Amino acid sequence: MEDVAPLSPKFVFAIQGHRRKYYLTRLLPYLGQRFCERFAAAWKTTFALMKFSTTDALFKSMRRAIMAICLRGVREPHSPEARIFEGFRDDPHFIPSKKDFQQAMLNLSGVILDVSDRSFVDSDNPKTRNGAIETLRLAVRYLAHQGMFPPDVEPAGRLEERLSSVPKCLATLSFEAGKLNIRGLTPDAATGAFVQRNRDMLYEMKRLFWEDLLDNERKFDEGANLLADPRLPTISDIEATLRHWTIPEIKRGMAFADFSKEQRWAIALRIEKMHLIGVPLKVGQKKRLAFVNLHFRHEQAQPYLESTSRCLTAVFHIILIETGANIQPLEDLPFKVYRGAARHGKRPLALTKNRAGGKQIAAPIADERVYLPVKSQDGLPSAAAAITIWKKLSAPLRSSTGPTQALLWVWRKAAGMRTICTHNPMVNHDPWYNFLDRVQQNDLLGGIPITRMAIRKAFANSQASTGDFDFIIQKALLGHAKSATTFAYLSEGAVRAFLVSQIREFQDAWEGVSVIDVEDAAKKLGVTDTELVRRQRLGLENGLSFGAALDDEPSISQGPGERLVRQAKKFIVTSKSLISLELARLALWSQFEPVVNSNPGRFLRTWIPWMAIVEGYCQRLETSRFRVRLKKVRDDVTARLSSGSLILPVLW
């Protein structure tokens, strides 16, 4: 008889109402039966009233994280993970030390945020990996509440989520919303208008955020004065009075009726403060709420006691507007926010960027370039002053040690909640969307889809002088690997907008019958006579002209009196001319990015008008009786280019 191998032990538990069971079998050989039972009990207690769809991802993430700690602990006997692994395995009541668990979470965060490491997340998508961090953070937080992990220690960090397309600056968004008119401007003037619009919009946003911050500070100071009133009853007197009255009597305002309206408000504020610091009154919850709700809601009282999420949003964006720094380092700013002393009225920020292996490194050129002015700018206080006020307002949220003391950003998920958060302050989008709602009627900002990346790009634009950008500094500031990316951040929006404006002028002129041929169109768009002749000599027939073959070859020495020969002035719709037009369009756009990055000034002066003429003719044909014929020609040109039987003209 053959030997029958014994079945491997399993550990499975279930939660009533959940459609699937939870498997800890893979942890059983490492941590044993007692740990699995402890984990199952903690999980059941936490998630008994939640849906399976909510808990499933959290469970899988937590199981994977514990497994990763076990494996590292086995491989590295002297590591923090080894001590955690051995403790959970040998002691049924073990809780990791804060130091060891912090290092383990830091190491695990590094694995998750390393796009080349597929051991925890099988994806190179930054959004997916950021989601894995968030999921694990929630799972760790829940189990910490059950006494399995030390409190206030969670996975940290986040990858920058870059969009496939380059974000637009504020001025570009303003142009597209019809709020910035550059018609009739020269290229230099158009670029200058974009730079100025970015500055104006950044200033307006900063002004509005300062209003939010100062409103919170005013209420905070007022709340401190109210609570300092010596005539207010003590906590024991407040408790005795509330016990004396029934809930209906309290709701009718009979409690503390001998105090003034302002004093009763202050008494309610004192009760709210006791609740927030975790020292509840020795009186029924319903009586406490009956008196407090008679005077205010949680969100109304919060600014009188501490900083609000609206205030945090204001300070964060004031810093962003003044630095244009990467979002992730700003979110992880330490409480000791500066890296050194002020020099020339500026202080460098202590920015760090997350890297593989859980390491944190100083952000690019942080000591020299990412700094805050300490003096007011354009009549508004600086971000340095905003940070000082923020530290004052957020002091009630901080403990003497731990993340709330070490990190700059602290907040409550909702007013009235006792839990204080310290990671990813911008994960709560409500204050930002509330800000956008409040500026809907603002002349500069209303109706514009503002994003933080648009603010960064606007900052880069606003730092540049008209028509002249310091690429090296801006490239370092923005952390870009390629100069092309930096130029896209600085000016592509303005270039494209200027092109659109030129096409509109061309179309309007056509409608007014002022443009009768290519020569007239070029003149209308500001092309010089010399450039007009040069374009003919460089090969107008191969995609840049709109007529038959040239009869002769004009010379630049002939002067402006003889610009284009007669055959090159008009666009006559034939198969050949449509092919030339399509080749011209494709050739111009194929060289758009290289030229706009290598020589933006020349691009604005000489390429934009020709692109406007070509696109103008194309748009006219697309709405004419020739639109079907044009589409067939375009399909034919695309096929012939793919087969190699046709090539794009060489432009220079």
Side-chain angles (χ1 to χ4, degrees), residues 331-465:
E331 289 188 331
D332 295 335
L333 273 172
F335 184 79
K336 296 179 179 179
V337 70
Y338 300 113
R339 195 178 293 276
R343 292 184 298 174
H344 308 296
K346 301 170 183 176
R347 296 196 71 177
L349 283 177
L351 298 181
T352 55
K353 292 199 70 162
N354 294 319
R355 287 293 184 262
K359 298 178 181 178
Q360 290 187 328
I361 64 170
I365 57 171
D367 288 321
E368 299 178 12
R369 300 297 183 188
V370 183
Y371 53 80
L372 284 182
V374 296
K375 296 182 180 179
S376 62
Q377 294 181 310
D378 300 324
L380 290 176
S382 67
I387 290 174
T388 301
I389 297 175
W390 167 256
K391 288 183 175 182
K392 164 188 162 183
L393 301 182
S394 62
L397 297 172
R398 302 183 187 278
S399 59
S400 57
T401 59
T404 60
Q405 181 59 39
L407 299 173
L408 182 64
W409 308 117
V410 290
W411 76 99
R412 301 186 194 275
K413 281 190 175 179
M417 292 182 63
R418 291 178 180 173
T419 303
I420 298 174
C421 305
T422 56
H423 291 292
N424 299 342
M426 293 299 105
V427 75
N428 182 7
H429 299 295
D430 288 345
W432 173 249
Y433 292 136
N434 289 339
F435 171 78
L436 295 182
D437 289 340
R438 285 186 282 122
V439 300
Q440 282 301 307
Q441 303 305 317
N442 186 284
D443 292 339
L444 279 174
L445 307 177
I448 295 176
I450 302 171
T451 64
R452 295 179 186 94
M453 294 308 295
I455 294 174
R456 289 193 70 208
K457 189 168 181 179
F459 168 83
N461 270 269
S462 67
Q463 298 303 298
S465 59

Side-chain angles (χ1 to χ4, degrees), residues 289-302:
L289 290 176
F291 182 75
V292 170
N293 292 341
L294 191 63
H295 297 84
F296 49 66
R297 298 188 301 273
H298 290 305
E299 57 270 20
Q300 292 173 317
Q302 189 181 20

